[in-house]
Amino acid sequence: MENNKLLQIMDLCVTYKTQEGLVHAVNNLNLEISDKETLGFVGETGAGKTTTAMAIMRLIPCPPGKIEKGKIFFEGEDLLKISDRKMRKIQGKDISMIFQDPMTSLNPVMRISEQIMEMILLHKKINKKEAYAEACKLLELVGIKKERADDYPHQFSGGMKQRVVIAISLACSPKLIIADEPTTALDVTIQAQVLSLMKDLKDEFGTSMILITHDLGVVAEICDKVAIMYAGSVVEYASKEKLYLNPSHPYTKGLFNSIPKLDTDEEFLEEIDGLPPEPTDVISGCAFNPRCPYCMERCEKEKPGITYLDKEHYVCCFLYENK
Amino acid sequence: MSKYLVKRIGYLFVTIAIVSFIVFMMLFFTPGDPATLILGNMSTEEAREAMREQLGLNSPFLVQYFNFVKDLVLHQDLGTSYITQRPVLQEILEVVPNTLILSFVAIVIAVVFGVALGIISAVRQYSLIDAIVTVFAMIGISAPIFWYGLLMILLFSVQLGWFPPSGFDTPSQMFLPCLALGIQSMSMIARMTRSSMLEIIRMDFVKMARAKGQKEVWVILSHVFRNALIPVITVIGLQFGMLLCGALFLEVIFSIPGLGRLMIESIKMRDYPVVMGGVFFMSLCVTIVNLITDICYALVDPKIAKS
Ligand SMILES: Nc1ncnc2c1ncn2[C@@H]1O[C@H](COP(=O)(O)OP(=O)(O)O)[C@@H](O)[C@H]1O
Ligand SMILES: [Mg+2]
């Protein structure tokens, strides 16, 4: 194990038992993130992004969910092996999470100051008064007047609520923040504000971040590394520059082709043929093969392993195996 | 909050005014001549007429209603019993403590156990204990209150001899009727708590609380339960009215000298002022409980107090 890695996920498999059958939400996922890095985690709806995030927090609802196998190393310790008690010390303090929908991620019957203080009091040895003062400071930090600390969530707009959630997630200066599509539920104009706030605060606090999104534009703006996820596993991983210059996996290429380009006169956007697989389907070989324009005979039989294109760029595709 | 409170108390008075009107109307339009009831069949027509004049029964409807309200407000006077010739209010106040104790203890039993069982079966959804609670709650909801009273007398008094079957002076006498009265509400509250908890437990802010590293017990109590309480309060408020009704039956079954027995005796004797007084008193209790419910709402749900 390399030491400079903050988080390293190895061969993670998560399934959900549903009435339609077993859903393999995450399949042999490998991922890593270093100190102070921002990792963009990109994939379609249902790719398993949220499930991965919840697995890191050890919050997969069980039942129906189950972590079948894998290791999640955080600072050299396997989070899937430690006790609940130890995990609770890490949740919030070392790893915190921002959920997708700010409208529902705050408790409607608690003052926002209480909700921030809850986090502080759980992890810091200070009294209520000091915690309150700290909560006010955090609110100012995310651009909310401290006079509003005693208001309830319904008195805030969606963007403001997400700011409160950001304040909560930063309360204990965590080493890693997992932000699950933090701006998807917001208006476009608010999205940019919230994103730039997150970027600034992340730099200020020196935190690593996993930013889950399906928006490649957002990735271009604030990420260092990008992992492209398809049907439960990472199909390509690279630094942002390398990925944008040289997208390699056919799925990644498809994603980039489906973004409108302003500098060319193309009339139609290319789209990826076909639909993502049904959650309960088990596809033999490469999961992307039914939609892949370069599909070979081999792709239908074997699962491609990891091929390194260079040190910080790998892809799971047979096209690159021999190069 | 204070504005909300003033408004609610205003509603309380309006409700009481309407109830007093309805009660009076029932008194006015019930067939039967009060003078004959008081003086007996053998009395002369002159004596009856004099009695009617004395009772003010010859005045028009609205004048009579006005006098009724005036007596009620100024002298706390609900009229006089035809049979005993004593003030209705006095008759009611003598027996009402038993009814209130019975209902109060029953609702406390119902709330404490109903809420606890509801929480447990929500947290352990689909477990054995959830199944047991669900089955018993279903039975509890579907049978009428007086049936539990009869059943308990048969089992605990007649068969086992653990508790006395009648009276209401010692705790052991109070136990069976309070339990019998509480079962139905307890079942209802348990069901409501369970479904309300299950709805809240899937929400994002609950995951958020867990992601903070909060202990599961506190996640359930301070986040899930506080939100789940809002619909449960409604049910508790509604149950109290039902409970008061059930108390009347149980007083008869367990021979408890309470409002219910007084009213049923009075109905038999056609002592309408007492019956109406009882109805008025019960409505008053229900209205006050509704006010308390509304206040609890405002304490739990910040959205209500603000708007
Ligand atoms: N609680 C759950 N029960 C059953 N299936 C689930 C549950 N949560 C997620 N899934 C399934 O797991 C797959 C991945 O979901 P998710 O991780 O939410 O994807 P994403 O966040 O990328 O949109 C989906 O097919 C979804 O239907
Ligand atoms: Mg998601």
Side-chain angles (χ1 to χ4, degrees), chain A residues 233-253:
Chain A
S233 41
V234 173
V235 293
E236 185 164 3
Y237 173 89
S239 67
K240 177 176 70 187
E241 291 76 17
K242 290 207 170 103
L243 191 88
Y244 278 71
L245 287 174
N246 182 24
S248 303
H249 195 279
Y251 176 66
T252 318
K253 286 183 182 167

Side-chain angles (χ1 to χ4, degrees), chain A residues 49-50 100 180-181:
Chain A
K49 305 181 297 289
T50 302
Q100 178 165 353
D180 188 0
E181 310 200 26

Side-chain angles (χ1 to χ4, degrees), chain B residues 201-220:
Chain B
I201 221 164
R202 313 184 265 106
M203 295 194 150
D204 276 352
F205 68 82
V206 178
K207 289 181 202 151
M208 177 99 176
R210 292 195 181 112
K212 286 174 177 173
Q214 184 62 279
K215 283 207 189 81
E216 187 64 18
V217 184
W218 289 114
V219 172
I220 295 296

Side-chain angles (χ1 to χ4, degrees), chain B residues 64-121:
Chain B
Q64 285 193 42
Y65 176 61
F66 178 76
N67 287 332
F68 173 78
V69 172
K70 198 178 76 188
D71 285 345
L72 185 59
V73 175
L74 295 182
H75 310 113
Q76 290 83 45
D77 182 7
L78 273 170
T80 309
S81 162
Y82 292 162
I83 307 299
T84 60
Q85 297 300 326
R86 293 168 61 213
V88 170
L89 191 69
Q90 203 182 330
E91 299 240 329
I92 290 176
L93 288 181
E94 268 167 24
V95 293
V96 92
N98 282 341
T99 308
L100 291 183
I101 292 173
L102 177 60
S103 313
F104 187 73
V105 175
I107 198 86
V108 169
I109 292 177
V111 170
V112 170
F113 289 97
V115 165
L117 290 174
I119 292 179
I120 292 170
S121 63

Side-chain angles (χ1 to χ4, degrees), chain A residues 11 17 84 170 176 285 290:
Chain A
D11 294 323
K17 255 201 195 96
D84 283 351
L170 286 171
L176 174 67

Side-chain angles (χ1 to χ4, degrees), chain B residues 183-195:
Chain B
I183 285 182
Q184 201 176 52
S185 303
M186 177 173 79
S187 310
M188 208 77 111
I189 291 169
R191 293 298 294 163
M192 194 65 215
T193 309
R194 179 184 183 270
S195 67

Side-chain angles (χ1 to χ4, degrees), chain B residues 250-263:
Chain B
L250 289 185
E251 282 170 13
V252 176
I253 292 173
F254 285 93
S255 322
I256 299 168
L259 189 59
R261 250 201 15 193
L262 176 70
M263 281 173 70

